[in-house]
Amino acid sequence: EAIPEDWRQALEWEKSQLPEVLDAHTQQVIEGISIRAMKLHNERECWLMDAPEPLRQHLAAIHGPLVASLAKEVGYSEEDVEFCKDFQQGFEAIGVTPHSDHFSAPCDKSMPVMTEEELLALRRPSNERIIQSLKEDEHSQFMHEMTEKDLGRGWMSAPEQLQDWMVTGLLMSRRLAVVEHRSHVAGGWRFRLVDDLSESFVNSAAGGDYKIVSQGLDTLKAMAFCMLMVGMHFDIWKADVAGAFRTCVYKYAHWPLMAVVYLLMGVPMVACHRRMALGGVTSVYAWHRVAGFILSVVVRKGCCVAARYVDDFFGIRRKGCRVQALQLLEAVCFFCGWPLGPEKSKHSMLAMVLLGCKV
């Protein structure tokens, strides 16, 4: 029950074919995507020029025509009708996210509770309240360095000292440094920057008519059970996309709504997001839509047993295969323009840490 029909078909294919047949099919799909990417090279330039001018530098790595072609082939463009348009024109920071049938369930409670007009009316009093309540701590220098690093990646504008026009021209959110545990990081802990988009009411003006249905360890358990029931040995694999939320670009008109503010040596510093921020409701929706496309290609076109929890992709592969499902995932991400984080990729494993648990 935890596995939808597409996944069941992939499992049946995995169970019924010899390893060399699975290898040949997966390799054929990888090569086919590579060839298609090259054939659509000229269309890629035209696609980029059709994007809004301020977004072009952010979309330069994306192969839009390849994404559109694959989305149509695997039926993803029917599940998420607005997907191909939105990642070219920019995802909205506020408003109602276009509907997606991919791993979703109807939910009226996810709809925005504030209009854009109401949000803009609160801009000045909200900014003044947040600026007055700022406190400097031992993480302020770190926040500034990471903001400048995001500038270098093209994810944010340059941080600059607060000016009078910003109080009425931008909508500011408080920037926070959050400590989180990560087993792959030296020392086991790291800082992550999160922006409080609820305090600034941005999240109140964002939402959708559905909630996202996550796939987790129960999905992996169901996959493994299906293989073990027929006495089939298998390995497990995992991977994640580097800077997942940051692969999604904001709609240009909403850039002024995505400012952040923090103190540095007693001076308020302000910068604006260009890519989806951690802490935003629409960031979750936007990445769900991008990741849903990636997963659909791997499962439906590649017939690979795979699933996803936010930016963590995982799955199983029949033992004896030389061409791994992870290789197909890497190919899809590489040719479409969303690179994986190689340091977190693991394949052909009997045991690993997945979603914080050892499996």
Side-chain angles (χ1 to χ4, degrees):
E1 293 181 359
I3 305 177
E5 184 59 30
D6 292 341
W7 275 249
R8 292 186 187 279
Q9 292 178 9
L11 274 166
E12 289 303 318
W13 169 259
E14 193 89 8
K15 293 188 298 183
S16 63
Q17 303 298 321
L18 295 173
E20 50 266 33
V21 175
L22 297 174
D23 286 341
H25 175 73
T26 305
Q27 187 62 41
Q28 183 181 30
V29 173
I30 293 173
E31 292 174 357
I33 292 174
S34 173
I35 293 171
R36 191 183 307 189
M38 290 187 288
K39 288 182 176 180
L40 292 173
H41 175 73
N42 291 337
E43 287 86 343
R44 179 178 183 177
E45 295 297 321
C46 295
W47 176 87
L48 186 61
M49 293 307 297
D50 286 339
E53 193 278 330
L55 269 63
R56 290 174 192 165
Q57 62 175 319
H58 301 280
L59 298 173
I62 304 298
H63 198 321
L66 177 63
V67 173
S69 173
L70 291 172
K72 182 178 181 180
E73 179 184 352
V74 302
Y76 190 73
S77 55
E78 297 176 8
E79 290 181 314
D80 190 335
V81 178
E82 301 294 322
F83 170 67
C84 291
K85 174 182 73 68
D86 285 351
F87 82 79
Q88 181 190 38
Q89 301 298 315
F91 293 96
E92 297 192 352
I94 59 174
V96 179
T97 294
H99 183 77
S100 171
D101 288 326
H102 182 82
F103 283 99
S104 65
C107 183
D108 293 337
K109 295 181 180 179
S110 300
M111 293 291 285
V113 297
M114 182 181 291
T115 66
E116 181 174 357
E117 292 73 21
E118 291 170 333
L119 177 66
L120 294 178
L122 291 172
R123 179 164 44 187
R124 179 164 190 157
S126 174
N127 287 341
E128 290 175 343
R129 172 176 51 84
I130 291 173
I131 292 169
Q132 290 173 3
S133 65
L134 290 176
K135 294 181 180 179
E136 193 160 4
D137 58 26
E138 67 273 20
H139 306 309
S140 296
Q141 182 62 39
F142 166 79
M143 283 194 285
H144 183 65
E145 292 172 357
M146 291 302 294
T147 304
E148 288 191 319
K149 187 174 181 180
D150 286 350
L151 164 66
R153 294 166 170 167
W155 295 353
M156 300 189 74
S157 66
E160 53 185 313
Q161 294 184 13
L162 176 68
Q163 301 176 42
D164 290 341
W165 70 266
M166 296 177 179
V167 179
T168 55
L170 302 175
L171 182 59
M172 304 179 198
S173 299
R174 186 193 307 268
R175 174 141 275 206
L176 304 169
V178 177
V179 182
E180 61 179 8
H181 177 68
R182 281 294 183 268
S183 58
H184 66 279
V185 176
W189 298 90
R190 74 172 183 183
F191 286 104
R192 181 191 287 270
L193 294 186
V194 178
D195 304 308
D196 194 344
L197 301 179
S198 294
E199 183 185 28
S200 59
F201 303 109
V202 172
N203 284 341
S204 297
D209 64 355
Y210 66 95
K211 65 178 181 179
I212 296 169
V213 178
S214 298
Q215 305 159 284
L217 295 177
D218 286 345
T219 303
L220 181 63
K221 178 181 176 181
M223 291 175 176
F225 183 77
C226 290
M227 297 292 279
L228 293 173
M229 282 288 289
V230 294
M232 196 78 67
H233 295 283
F234 59 90
D235 293 317
I236 54 179
W237 60 268
K238 70 173 182 178
D240 78 356
V241 173
F245 286 9
R246 298 303 223 167
T247 63
C248 307
V249 184
Y250 280 118
K251 182 178 179 180
Y252 176 63
H254 288 172
W255 285 7
L257 304 177
M258 300 310 302
V260 298
V261 60
Y262 58 93
L263 282 181
L264 180 68
M265 300 179 66
V267 178
M269 302 294 294
V270 180
C272 291
H273 286 287
R274 303 297 186 242
R275 310 283 187 96
M276 288 287 169
L278 286 176
V281 168
T282 54
S283 300
V284 178
Y285 278 112
W287 170 245
H288 173 71
R289 299 170 69 194
V290 172
F293 159 75
I294 296 171
L295 186 64
S296 294
V297 175
V298 172
V299 174
R300 298 173 187 173
K301 185 172 176 62
C303 294
C304 293
V305 184
R308 174 186 66 87
Y309 185 89
V310 190
D311 61 343
D312 291 307
F313 292 83
F314 60 91
I316 61 176
R317 186 67 163 173
R318 181 172 174 174
K319 217 171 226 337
C321 289
R322 294 180 295 103
V323 184
Q324 300 299 319
L326 177 56
Q327 292 173 256
L328 174 56
L329 176 66
E330 290 172 337
V332 172
C333 290
F334 175 78
F335 288 112
C336 290
W338 296 294
L340 291 179
E343 71 281 357
K344 299 181 184 178
S345 297
K346 305 286 184 183
H347 65 83
S348 302
M349 304 286 288
L350 291 174
M352 66 172 61
V353 175
L354 178 66
L355 305 181
C357 299
K358 187 172 183 180
V359 296

